[in-house]
Amino acid sequence: NLAPESRGIGLGPKILRMATARALSRGVDNIIAEIRKDNHTSSRAFKKAGYYLFDEICKVTECERVPIFRYLANKNFYKL
């Protein structure tokens, strides 16, 4: 999470792009982000950072079923 005063200025996607590029350049093949379907802000940040939606699942926690979007950054498709 970003501090409230740091939100809305594009910092989240920028940090994600930098961290993703670093991990992929160091030998990581795939990065999968699982984001609650109702978390529109995080979904938007990952899309802006170059991730793409590749799956939609439902996870069961102790109390509820949670719809999840799964986003992927893959070394073969990600622009470093």
Side-chain angles (χ1 to χ4, degrees):
N1 284 334
L2 291 174
E5 63 273 8
S6 298
R7 295 178 186 163
I9 58 173
L11 192 55
K14 183 176 182 176
I15 292 168
L16 284 170
R17 278 192 299 273
M18 290 171 58
T20 300
R22 184 175 177 104
L24 294 175
S25 72
R26 291 177 177 242
V28 173
D29 291 334
N30 298 297
I31 301 171
I32 297 172
E34 294 188 342
I35 302 169
R36 291 177 68 113
K37 192 174 180 177
D38 62 357
N39 189 340
H40 306 292
T41 302
S42 288
S43 287
R44 193 168 40 255
F46 275 88
K47 285 187 229 176
K48 285 182 179 179
Y51 286 66
Y52 65 91
L53 180 66
F54 77 99
D55 196 13
E56 188 175 336
I57 61 173
C58 196
K59 286 201 167 182
V60 178
T61 67
E62 293 178 13
C63 303
E64 62 184 333
R65 290 177 55 98
V66 181
I68 300 287
F69 282 146
R70 298 179 82 207
Y71 290 92
L72 175 69
N74 175 281
K75 71 175 185 177
N76 297 318
F77 301 105
Y78 197 81
K79 296 177 185 174
L80 295 175

